[in-house]
Amino acid sequence: MALPADVDDWRSAELLLVDARVIVGKRVTQLRYALTIAPSLLMPKGTTLTVTPMLNGVDAGFDLSKTPCSLDVSPVWACTADDGRPATFGSKLTCERREVARPITQPSNGPWVSENPRQPWLSLRGMWGAARDDAWAVGAAGTVVHYDGVRWATVDAGTTADFTAVAGASASDVWAVGDFGASMHFDGRRWEPRAPAGPVDLDQLVVSARGDVWAASSRSSELFHWQGDGWKRVDAPLRPSRLLAPAPGTLWVFDDSGACQTFDGRTWCAAPPPFEGRVLSSVQLSTRHIIAAGAGGGLARFDGELWWRERTGVTADVERLWAPQRDVAWAFGPGRQWARWAGGEWQTVIAPEGVNGVRAVWGAGADEGWVIDKRGAFYRYDGAAWSMVGAAAPAFQRIQTIAEVDGAVWAAGSGVMRQSGDVWSSVPQPKGPVRALAGSSAKDVWAVTFALQHDFTEDVATVWHYDGQQWEVDATAPKTVRVLWQRSSDELWAAGDLAAVWRRTARGWLEVDRGGPNARAAGKHRAHVISGDGAAGVWVAGNGPIKRCSASRCVSFESPLPGTPIFPIVTLTALSPTKAYAVSGHPDADTGSYEAADVVIAEWDGRRWKPLEAGILPMLYGHVAAGPRDLWLLGVGNTVVHLKDGRAERTVLRDVGKLTHISRSSDGVIRLLGVDARVLRWPP
């Protein structure tokens, strides 16, 4: 395959296939996104495909043959055989980019359906407004909301793409960009899709004038410019982490180190950085009054000639800025670290109770400001104080653990929520992120949180109990607990450092196994998973031998899985005393790929653990067992694999955010959970 001339390095083609689904053999994983074939061409195992990757116009020398492939090509690229005829097996292909518009809506996710569509605002990432009664906010899965001066309301933009930024030149010239190069434009009446800017996840957007739009990805060196007739790729001398357009035709680009380059449409010039470190936010009042802020609380003002540094009082990164006028400015750090410029100096401000970081900020004047926090909650500033507008969404961003409690699924991390039917609701959370969870009923739930010691050498566990109304600390619990499993209100199991195992009954905490060092674990031997064994005991696994524990002792079984401190056994499920499954994996040894990892599944037959052939699968987050040799696996890239009787069926879920956990409830329903409280269910 000869890559287009505007691609300098064939490796940058890794993201060229916007909608492509590619499954290739282990040896060619590094080329998996560079393989572009005629639409819907299906290659059975053993078919020979001749592909010629080009590096700066020269054959890169990769020989791919007899590779099992299943390929779909993005409509953004047109591929033909070198002889001009339709591509067939063995064809050598040439691919050229098509500058054509296409719908932003991504492919269907088949039988998987969303179970909590009532919380779309959790995903809001960007906000911009043209006037006090005309503002926009955008987020994942096509979420677009509009403010009319009275209330925020959802608008159907006709897309399910994930958007990260919105900006405009006027009320009739508003742009939004996002993942997979998605872009759309609002002309004052409706949102319409535009051809993708490029096959990258865009998170930077500036609009200096009507039709003069810049977009970039902080994850790559890709920079794009729209001038009315389409997106054009612009070669930048640095990786853009922040864009600023002080005037039409002029662009400033900052990289992760804070270095700055200016571009006038023809020439790049180095410019002095505002401060040391990454620029995370900027705001412009005029060409002679620009404020930039970022790493370590750094902040500087530009007066048209020089940058002047200032101290805000925010000791952490300044993630967002808002400056409605020259003598008023706000700096927003993580958590509740805020600062305000007034009276010629910066003053520390305590953020409103309940604020959970700041994702987006915009204001129409010194008495009209808006903040969206990481829960999707809106806060309004009226010139005197900030106050929350409307009910807050559940304070839930990152899932660390899931558990079935009395037939209902509970999920916890930066918050706690529980499922009842197809409705999810927020639950009060203990102090700190929850790492482990177990329960016998809604009035008997246990959780583990962690806190660093004063010397930051290791974390100390705190065990909490929830009685249906509030959380209380169990001061008698071990301080090295990592995972929990509960059989009944009278029996709670825990495991932790050195693979120690405890059992809690009406008599209190009892040590079942003290554990010990593991030579393979290099002093970091820990239990990572605990599960009932289908009888009266539990299985405990981590980066060492698998243990089976009864009420009085544990027996170790050497695991066939490649457990290490970094890649331990991730999940273990028991169907019965004689049937259980454990899963682990490593990135590909040759390429380091997480998308095509060396995954190993072990099966317990009642006497010993033996490995099952799993093949090349994505690095796994977890699995559930629906029956003997009937496993559902969730891996990197939202890949779901149904492995039954040695046959694997894959599904890649799109436009649902990052999915990280999988569960199976007693009624047979399988759920996938991810960031922003996203939950998918199968069967529908």
Side-chain angles (χ1 to χ4, degrees):
M1 180 183 74
L3 294 181
D6 63 341
V7 178
D8 297 326
D9 184 345
W10 70 267
R11 293 179 185 274
S12 66
E14 183 179 69
L15 295 174
L16 291 180
L17 301 185
V18 180
D19 289 342
R21 290 177 295 167
V22 185
I23 303 171
V24 301
K26 173 181 175 182
R27 294 180 57 249
V28 295
T29 52
Q30 59 185 325
L31 292 176
R32 62 195 300 259
Y33 294 109
L35 296 171
T36 307
I37 301 298
S40 303
L41 178 61
L42 184 64
M43 297 182 59
K45 185 174 182 179
T47 300
T48 299
L49 167 67
T50 302
V51 180
T52 308
M54 306 296 287
L55 178 61
N56 293 328
V58 180
D59 190 334
F62 289 91
D63 181 19
L64 311 178
S65 61
K66 297 184 179 179
T67 302
C69 301
S70 176
L71 305 160
D72 292 323
V73 66
S74 162
V76 178
W77 295 86
C79 300
T80 59
D82 284 358
D83 56 11
R85 291 180 296 181
T88 60
F89 299 143
S91 295
K92 186 173 291 187
L93 307 176
T94 299
C95 299
E96 296 181 351
R97 182 173 178 171
R98 287 176 175 170
E99 295 291 346
V100 297
R102 67 181 183 86
I104 298 178
T105 302
Q106 301 290 340
S108 167
N109 289 324
W112 293 92
V113 297
S114 178
E115 193 169 64
N116 59 338
R118 299 172 178 82
Q119 304 176 49
W121 292 8
L122 283 168
S123 67
L124 293 176
R125 294 292 191 275
M127 181 166 53
W128 178 87
R132 290 176 181 267
D133 59 354
D134 188 8
W136 296 93
V138 298
T143 301
V144 177
V145 297
H146 180 256
Y147 181 65
D148 62 4
V150 178
R151 64 180 62 86
W152 291 88
T154 302
V155 173
D156 183 3
T159 176
T160 58
D162 294 337
F163 290 98
T164 56
V166 59
S170 68
S172 59
D173 186 30
V174 187
W175 289 81
V177 297
D179 292 351
F180 296 105
S183 66
M184 63 179 180
H185 177 258
F186 182 73
D187 62 4
R189 295 177 299 170
R190 61 181 178 272
W191 287 95
E192 293 184 341
R194 292 290 185 263
V200 293
D201 294 342
L202 301 173
D203 55 10
Q204 302 293 317
L205 175 68
V206 292
V207 182
S208 61
R210 177 175 290 273
D212 188 14
V213 186
W214 292 88
S217 169
S218 60
R219 303 177 187 176
S220 70
S221 58
E222 304 263 25
L223 177 67
F224 301 91
H225 188 208
W226 178 281
Q227 290 182 306
D229 58 348
W231 292 101
K232 305 296 182 184
R233 185 175 181 272
V234 178
D235 292 325
L238 41 69
R239 174 173 294 182
S241 64
R242 185 69 189 174
L243 303 181
L244 184 64
T250 302
L251 181 72
W252 293 5
V253 178
F254 301 92
D255 70 4
D256 287 345
S257 69
C260 179
Q261 292 270 347
T262 64
F263 185 61
D264 62 5
R266 293 177 299 176
T267 307
W268 288 95
C269 295
F275 48 80
E276 295 182 1
R278 183 179 181 182
V279 175
L280 297 172
S281 185
S282 60
V283 64
Q284 176 183 343
L285 294 170
S286 69
T287 57
R288 302 183 66 84
H289 191 169
I290 299 170
I291 307 175
L299 185 141
R301 293 177 189 260
F302 183 72
D303 63 4
E305 296 181 0
L306 299 172
W307 288 100
W308 298 89
R309 300 179 184 179
E310 300 175 1
R311 295 183 179 274
T312 63
V314 176
T315 57
D317 295 350
V318 177
E319 299 173 340
R320 297 290 184 269
L321 280 174
W322 174 47
Q325 58 191 47
R326 294 184 66 89
D327 57 347
V328 176
W330 289 81
F332 304 92
R336 299 177 65 197
Q337 291 192 55
W338 292 9
R340 181 174 184 264
W341 171 272
E345 63 178 357
W346 286 97
Q347 300 172 347
T348 301
V349 176
I350 301 300
E353 187 71 31
V355 166
N356 183 16
V358 173
R359 277 185 176 162
V361 60
W362 170 81
D367 61 347
E368 178 81 16
W370 289 92
V371 156
I372 302 176
D373 78 355
K374 294 181 179 179
R375 299 175 300 163
F378 282 76
Y379 290 82
R380 182 179 181 273
Y381 183 69
D382 61 6
W386 293 89
S387 58
M388 188 171 69
V389 177
F396 197 91
Q397 304 306 315
R398 183 180 180 185
I399 294 173
Q400 298 278 9
T401 181
I402 56 177
E404 184 173 356
V405 178
D406 194 22
V409 178
W410 286 53
S414 57
V416 181
M417 64 180 191
R418 65 184 175 191
Q419 163 258 341
S420 177
D422 63 350
V423 177
W424 287 80
S425 58
S426 182
V427 177
Q429 71 178 101
K431 185 178 181 180
V434 177
R435 303 291 182 87
L437 190 72
S440 64
S441 72
K443 296 182 178 181
D444 179 34
V445 181
W446 295 83
V448 177
T449 62
F450 294 103
L452 290 176
Q453 291 190 14
H454 67 280
D455 59 358
F456 300 98
T457 55
E458 63 177 306
D459 41 8
V460 177
T462 300
V463 178
W464 302 76
H465 180 256
Y466 181 66
D467 62 4
Q469 294 183 334
Q470 62 183 6
W471 293 92
E472 292 186 356
V473 174
D474 183 349
T476 66
K479 300 301 181 184
T480 57
V481 172
R482 303 289 161 183
V483 288
L484 298 172
W485 185 80
Q486 189 167 8
R487 173 171 284 108
S488 67
S489 59
D490 298 325
E491 187 177 11
L492 174 69
W493 290 80
D497 290 356
L498 302 179
V501 180
W502 301 271
R503 180 169 171 261
R504 189 185 189 281
T505 66
R507 295 163 49 194
W509 289 94
L510 305 173
E511 186 178 75
V512 178
D513 190 314
R514 183 170 298 179
N518 174 27
R520 287 191 298 165
K524 298 179 180 179
H525 187 30
R526 289 179 175 175
H528 292 268
V529 60
I530 185 171
S531 174
D533 66 354
V538 296
W539 288 103
V540 175
N543 49 357
I546 299 178
K547 293 182 178 182
R548 189 175 189 179
C549 303
S550 65
S552 58
R553 69 188 185 99
C554 295
V555 177
S556 295
F557 296 85
E558 190 61 31
S559 169
L561 302 182
T564 71
I566 302 176
F567 305 107
I569 294 174
V570 291
T571 50
L572 191 154
T573 304
L575 295 173
S576 69
T578 59
K579 191 64 65 178
Y581 296 92
V583 177
S584 183
H586 291 266
D588 183 270
D590 298 327
T591 67
S593 170
Y594 284 79
E595 287 80 9
D598 296 323
V599 173
V600 181
I601 300 174
E603 182 181 52
W604 170 256
D605 62 6
R607 295 181 301 168
R608 62 188 178 91
W609 288 92
K610 57 183 180 181
L612 298 178
E613 183 177 350
I616 302 301
L617 296 173
M619 199 67 182
L620 297 179
Y621 294 128
H623 87 279
V624 293
R629 300 205 174 185
D630 185 1
L631 306 180
W632 290 82
L633 311 141
L634 173 64
V636 168
N638 290 353
T639 301
V640 180
V641 181
H642 186 195
L643 194 63
K644 186 173 183 178
D645 297 328
R647 300 183 63 182
E649 179 182 340
R650 296 179 183 230
T651 302
V652 177
L653 302 178
R654 302 179 182 277
D655 299 322
V656 293
K658 183 179 180 180
L659 301 171
T660 57
H661 286 72
I662 184 170
S663 74
R664 182 178 184 273
S665 52
S666 55
D667 59 1
V669 174
I670 297 173
R671 290 179 173 86
L672 308 176
L673 297 89
V675 298
D676 297 329
R678 191 68 59 89
V679 182
L680 298 180
R681 181 185 73 238
W682 185 93

